[in-house]
Amino acid sequence: MKNVLFILIIIFMASCESKNAENYPLKSEDGHFHAVVEIPAGTNKKYEFSPESISYEIDQRDGKDRVIRYLPYFGNYGFIPSTLSNKAEGGDGDPLDIIVISESLSQGTLLPVIPLGTVKLMDQGENDYKIIAVPANSDLDLLKIKTFQSFKSKYPSIIQIIEIWLTNYDSDSLLIEGWLDEKETETYILENAVTN
């Protein structure tokens, strides 16, 4: 009996580890968009999910680990599963980037979120949009807002911090071209959704 239980545990663990996080569902059962955390808030190493190895790896640039030589990530950085930024429309071909403003969450966390808006960035001729969101779970939601207008009126300094951080954390070539509100952000996500 112990052997059977041990084998079932191994099979369960292997099936959990072998899941490609990029293919998780776009939305939760209650209709909120999902986010997958690659880089917990407060981290200064740039991790990325690798669908080939099914693991989170430190991103490389010129053969070296990418380390943020600025302030660490102010939120939990990751992606929206079941999406791809369309290369034909100036995107990078990766899942859509998202930053979830909350306490630090563990790498690999899948959580329902409420997108507040999107920072429209241009990086060396490619769209590099960053969706800004809060957790749908009210216990994790520090800001207690659900719209871009509320974000702008209640927390204009956070918007400034986000813009300053994004234009300084990685590359001199990042330029901010404006923001999308929550409705435009939802449209942007749905336009870049993929079916698995």
Side-chain angles (χ1 to χ4, degrees):
M1 185 65 175
K2 284 184 181 179
N3 289 342
V4 172
L5 183 58
F6 178 74
I7 291 169
L8 288 174
I9 290 170
I10 295 297
I11 291 170
F12 174 75
M13 289 173 61
S15 69
C16 290
E17 290 174 8
S18 67
K19 273 204 152 171
N20 183 344
E22 290 183 359
N23 295 331
Y24 287 160
L26 177 68
K27 290 187 173 187
S28 63
E29 288 182 11
D30 56 1
H32 293 290
F33 288 107
H34 273 139
V36 175
V37 175
E38 292 173 295
I39 307 167
T43 303
N44 73 331
K45 290 186 176 86
K46 179 140 180 38
Y47 286 89
E48 287 192 349
F49 177 76
S50 168
E52 291 80 26
S53 65
I54 313 294
S55 65
Y56 297 87
E57 301 172 354
I58 297 178
D59 193 29
Q60 300 283 303
R61 183 180 282 164
D62 301 324
K64 296 180 181 175
D65 290 351
R66 282 179 70 189
V67 176
I68 304 306
R69 303 279 180 215
Y70 192 61
L71 297 174
Y73 284 86
F74 62 88
N76 298 282
Y77 191 98
F79 61 88
I80 297 183
S82 295
T83 63
L84 281 179
S85 176
N86 192 333
K87 278 194 170 221
E89 295 175 11
D92 60 10
D94 291 334
L96 301 183
D97 294 331
I98 190 165
I99 302 172
V100 182
I101 299 172
S102 73
E103 289 186 21
S104 185
L105 300 169
S106 298
Q107 187 175 72
T109 298
L110 174 71
L111 76 155
V113 296
I114 299 170
L116 300 175
T118 301
V119 188
K120 296 172 17 178
L121 291 165
M122 184 64 69
D123 185 10
Q124 299 179 357
E126 286 186 344
N127 293 328
D128 191 16
Y129 292 6
K130 308 293 185 196
I131 297 162
I132 307 298
V134 293
N137 179 335
S138 61
D139 292 339
L140 298 174
D141 181 6
L142 303 171
L143 303 181
K144 308 297 185 202
I145 55 175
K146 297 187 179 352
T147 68
F148 185 65
Q149 186 56 46
S150 298
F151 194 28
K152 280 194 332 185
S153 63
K154 285 183 79 174
Y155 299 105
S157 58
I158 294 178
I159 290 176
Q160 287 179 310
I161 290 167
I162 290 170
E163 290 180 350
I164 290 167
W165 191 86
L166 286 172
T167 54
N168 286 279
Y169 86 108
D170 187 38
S171 160
D172 294 334
S173 64
L174 282 170
L175 300 171
I176 293 177
E177 297 191 323
W179 284 76
L180 302 175
D181 67 19
E182 74 279 0
K183 290 182 177 146
E184 293 166 320
T185 297
E186 182 172 350
T187 299
Y188 167 64
I189 295 168
L190 294 174
E191 286 174 350
N192 289 278
V194 295
T195 54
N196 300 318

